[in-house]
Amino acid sequence: MKEERLTVSKIRSGTVIDHIPAGKALHVLRILGITGSEGYRTAVLMNVESRKLGRKDIVKIEHKKLGEDETNLLALIAPTATINIVEGYEIVEKRRVRIPERIRRLLTCPNPTCITRSSREDVVTSFKLVSRDPVILQCEYCGTMVRGEELENLLTK
Amino acid sequence: MGLKGRDVVSILDLTRGELEALFETADKFDRRGRARYRLLEDKVLALAFFEPSTRTRLSFETAMKRLGGETIGFAGAEATSVAKGESLTDTIRMLDSYADAIVLRHRYEGAAKLAAEVAENPVINGGDGRQHHPTQSMIDLYTIRRLFGTIDGLNIALAGDLRYARTAASLALALTLFRPRHLYLVSPPQLTMRPEVLRVLDEAGVRYSVHGSLDDVVEELDVIYVTRIQKERFPDPMEYEKVRGSYRITLDLLKKGRKGLKVLHPLPKVDEIELAVDHSEYAAYFQQAAWGVPVRMALLTHIFGVEV
Ligand SMILES: [Zn+2]
C-alpha cells in the first residue's frame, strides 16, 4: 500500500471506509451527509490500487465513529465497502455494510406519478427491502420496485 | 367490529374474515331494499375527488344518505379551485377537521396512504393512481360471491388493460385473500400486469397464467372481468385499433364459454363489450354496479363501528 502512505497518514481515531468502488467516494460522503462544514478532518482517496478491486476509493474521517445505521446506507452504492473503527491508531471494530430493511429520505421514487414526486407535498420517501439477493427495493407509497443497479441514479440530490 | 376507525388504503388492508363480515352486512342492506336508516345521522363523510369519477362518488353519496348521514366535498375541476395550489396534505387536514371520514380519489399513486398518515379520521381510498381501488374490489368480490355463492375454486380472467387500470390490479390483489382455482391475465403485451402485483400473486401462491387473447381460454372461465383499453396508452393509433378489436367481448366469444359464464366490468364501458351482451345472461355488470351501494353502506357502518 505504498501509494496510500504517500498521500495520507493513519488516523488516530475515527472511521476508515475502505474498499469503496473506484469513483464512488463523493457519493459515500453525500450519503453520510458529510459536506466538510462539520469540521471533521476528512481524507478522500480516489482510484488507489487495490488487490481485491483493482482500483478503489477510501474515506477517512477523524474523530467520528460512524454507527451501523449510518454505514449500512452505503450498501446502496458501495456494497463492497468495509468499515474500520479506529481508536489509538488501532482498528477496534471491522464490519461490512448491509442494506437496511427500510430506507427513508435518501432515494427518489422513479415513478413520475408517485405522490412523493409531487413538489407540493412535504413527504419523505420510504422504500422497503423486498429482496436482498438480488437487491430489490419497493416504494412504500406507489409500490414501484427498483433494482440494486438503479439505486445510484435515485439518490436524492 | 374489526374495521372501526381504520383506514382502507389497499384491499390488502382487510383480511378475508373482515371482507366476509362486510359482505354479510351488505346482504342485509340489499335484502331490505331501498330503506333509509338513521345509523349515521351524526356523521359527515367528506368526498375529496381530485379526479372525476361519477360512479364511485355518487354511490358513496347514496350510501351515506341511505344511512342518514351527510356528505361534503368536491369533484373534478372543482378540486383545482378548492386546492388553489394547496398541498394535498393541507386539503386533507381541512377536511379532517370538518368530517368524520374522508373518501379520496386522486391521480397520483400513494395519495391515499399519504392522506391516511395526515388525517386522524379514517381515510377510504376511492382510487389512487393505477394500483388501488379497494372499494371497487369489494364490490367485484361481492358480485362474484352473490353470483356463484363462492369466490374460491373459480376460474377468473382479468382482461384488457392490466397495467394502468387500477380496478384490475386491485382485484388481482383482492383475489390473493381467497383461493381462486386459476387466474388468467389476458392483455396485449404493452399492458401486462405490473411486476409489483405479480409479486404479491407469487407470494400468495395464486395460480395464474398470462395470455394474449381470450379466445385461447374462454372455455375454461367462470368469470371475465373486463377493463377498458384506453387510446392514450398507444402512441400509434393503428396499433390501438388492432388491439381494441381483439379484446372486444362479443356474444360469439361468450357462446364458446361454459354455461354460467359471467362478464363483470367496473364501468363506465365504452365499446369494449358488444351491446348485444348487455341483454344476455352473461352480463353481470349492471347488477354489479347496483351492488356498489349496499357494499359501500356496509363499509361505512363497519368503519364507523355501527351495529346493523
Ligand atoms: Zn413511489
Side-chain angles (χ1 to χ4, degrees):
Chain A
M1 283 299 190
K2 194 166 147 230
E3 286 85 350
E4 197 183 336
R5 231 182 307 125
L6 283 173
T7 44
V8 65
S9 58
K10 279 190 166 183
I11 60 171
R12 177 149 45 136
S13 82
T15 307
V16 176
I17 306 166
D18 200 353
H19 302 108
I20 301 166
K24 301 277 196 246
L26 296 177
H27 281 111
V28 164
L29 291 174
R30 204 165 94 200
I31 288 181
L32 296 173
I34 292 170
T35 62
S37 58
E38 298 83 2
Y40 301 114
R41 289 218 309 182
T42 303
V44 178
L45 292 88
M46 297 177 82
N47 300 308
V48 300
E49 271 72 22
S50 159
R51 256 167 306 163
K52 266 199 258 175
L53 302 173
R55 297 259 169 185
K56 66 175 179 181
D57 289 3
I58 303 170
V59 169
K60 301 183 180 194
I61 308 157
E62 206 164 35
H63 301 310
K64 168 112 176 136
K65 287 175 190 153
L66 292 169
E68 217 166 325
D69 289 351
E70 292 171 278
T71 56
N72 274 346
L73 295 171
L74 300 179
L76 293 178
I77 53 137
T80 52
T82 51
I83 311 297
N84 302 291
I85 304 296
V86 179
E87 257 175 50
Y89 296 106
E90 300 286 331
I91 293 173
V92 293
E93 188 189 340
K94 206 174 172 77
R95 59 175 191 253
R96 301 190 64 90
V97 295
R98 188 178 153 81
I99 290 199
E101 297 292 331
R102 180 162 277 112
I103 296 160
R104 286 171 59 77
R105 211 178 299 266
L106 265 186
L107 299 169
T108 302
C109 183
N111 168 18
T113 57
C114 176
I115 192 71
T116 64
R117 293 281 300 272
S118 166
S119 55
R120 278 187 199 166
E121 307 303 330
D122 177 28
V123 50
V124 171
T125 63
S126 183
F127 285 79
K128 69 167 188 266
L129 185 69
V130 294
S131 162
R132 209 170 265 287
D133 187 21
V135 169
I136 300 172
L137 298 170
Q138 186 168 34
C139 172
E140 296 204 89
Y141 285 88
C142 73
T144 297
M145 297 199 291
V146 294
R147 285 170 292 123
E149 57 270 29
E150 298 173 73
L151 295 176
E152 192 180 326
N153 294 325
L154 300 177
L155 283 176
T156 310
K157 304 259 166 359
Chain B
M1 266 189 241
L3 274 181
K4 185 178 177 184
R6 285 203 351 229
D7 300 309
V8 179
V9 172
S10 156
I11 191 69
L12 297 179
D13 290 343
L14 280 79
T15 63
R16 176 176 177 148
E18 284 163 349
L19 282 168
E20 281 168 348
L22 197 74
F23 297 156
E24 280 167 28
T25 305
D27 283 342
K28 284 187 199 168
F29 284 127
D30 190 49
R31 268 200 304 273
R32 294 176 200 168
R34 305 206 165 185
R36 284 193 78 131
Y37 302 81
R38 305 176 68 176
L39 293 166
L40 300 182
E41 64 181 348
D42 58 341
K43 303 288 188 220
V44 175
L45 180 67
L47 303 173
F49 280 68
F50 289 89
E51 197 186 53
S53 152
T54 315
R55 271 150 236 276
T56 304
R57 184 170 56 87
L58 290 182
S59 76
F60 263 114
E61 211 170 315
T62 309
M64 195 60 185
K65 286 187 172 154
R66 287 208 181 287
L67 292 167
E70 298 287 333
T71 63
I72 57 167
F74 52 81
E78 222 187 326
T80 338
S81 72
V82 169
K84 284 199 178 94
E86 184 181 60
S87 67
L88 170 67
T89 49
D90 284 359
T91 308
I92 293 297
R93 278 189 194 100
M94 169 193 75
L95 294 173
D96 194 36
S97 70
Y98 299 163
D100 301 293
I102 301 167
V103 180
L104 176 79
R105 161 69 64 99
H106 203 282
R107 190 169 69 87
Y108 274 27
E109 286 88 31
K113 177 178 158 64
L114 179 61
E117 287 169 2
V118 171
E120 293 194 1
N121 289 307
V123 169
I124 301 169
N125 189 353
D128 68 342
R130 56 202 174 190
Q131 195 152 322
H132 294 300
H133 196 351
T135 66
Q136 179 65 49
S137 301
M138 290 169 195
I139 295 158
D140 302 338
L141 293 173
Y142 181 76
T143 303
I144 296 172
R145 175 183 163 280
R146 283 288 297 263
L147 296 172
F148 293 89
T150 175
I151 296 160
D152 300 328
L154 297 178
N155 286 337
I156 300 172
L158 306 180
D161 182 351
L162 306 186
R163 193 164 194 82
Y164 301 102
R166 55 169 83 99
T167 50
S170 184
L171 181 55
L173 296 176
L175 288 169
T176 65
L177 301 172
F178 293 83
R179 287 273 158 263
R181 180 192 296 275
H182 197 93
L183 191 56
Y184 300 79
L185 304 176
V186 187
S187 75
Q190 307 90 323
L191 299 176
T192 52
M193 196 66 94
R194 311 184 69 78
E196 57 265 29
V197 181
L198 294 179
R199 192 181 169 83
V200 178
L201 294 178
D202 288 334
E203 278 177 359
V206 171
R207 284 179 36 188
Y208 67 90
S209 47
V210 175
H211 305 270
S213 154
L214 273 168
D215 275 311
D216 305 341
V217 297
V218 68
E219 288 164 39
E220 296 162 39
L221 303 177
D222 298 300
V223 174
I224 305 176
Y225 189 85
V226 185
T227 55
R228 180 148 49 103
I229 293 176
Q230 287 174 305
K231 199 172 183 171
E232 51 270 30
R233 305 289 176 216
F234 291 84
D236 177 3
M238 293 284 283
E239 185 66 21
Y240 167 71
E241 288 303 325
K242 217 168 69 192
V243 164
R244 185 173 65 154
S246 58
Y247 285 85
R248 200 138 185 272
I249 308 293
T250 62
L251 214 45
D252 284 344
L253 172 80
L254 298 173
K255 279 176 182 161
K256 290 186 221 157
R258 291 181 184 177
K259 193 170 146 45
L261 170 64
K262 295 290 179 192
V263 178
L264 274 69
H265 190 301
L267 301 183
K269 62 184 175 68
V270 182
D271 55 1
E272 56 273 32
I273 299 176
E274 188 182 43
L275 280 178
V277 178
D278 286 2
H279 310 289
S280 72
E281 74 268 33
Y282 302 108
Y285 31 87
F286 298 126
Q287 184 61 69
Q288 177 189 4
W291 280 327
V293 174
V295 171
R296 288 187 168 113
M297 286 170 79
L299 176 64
L300 291 170
T301 56
H302 284 223
I303 281 186
F304 286 122
V306 173
E307 206 67 52
V308 176

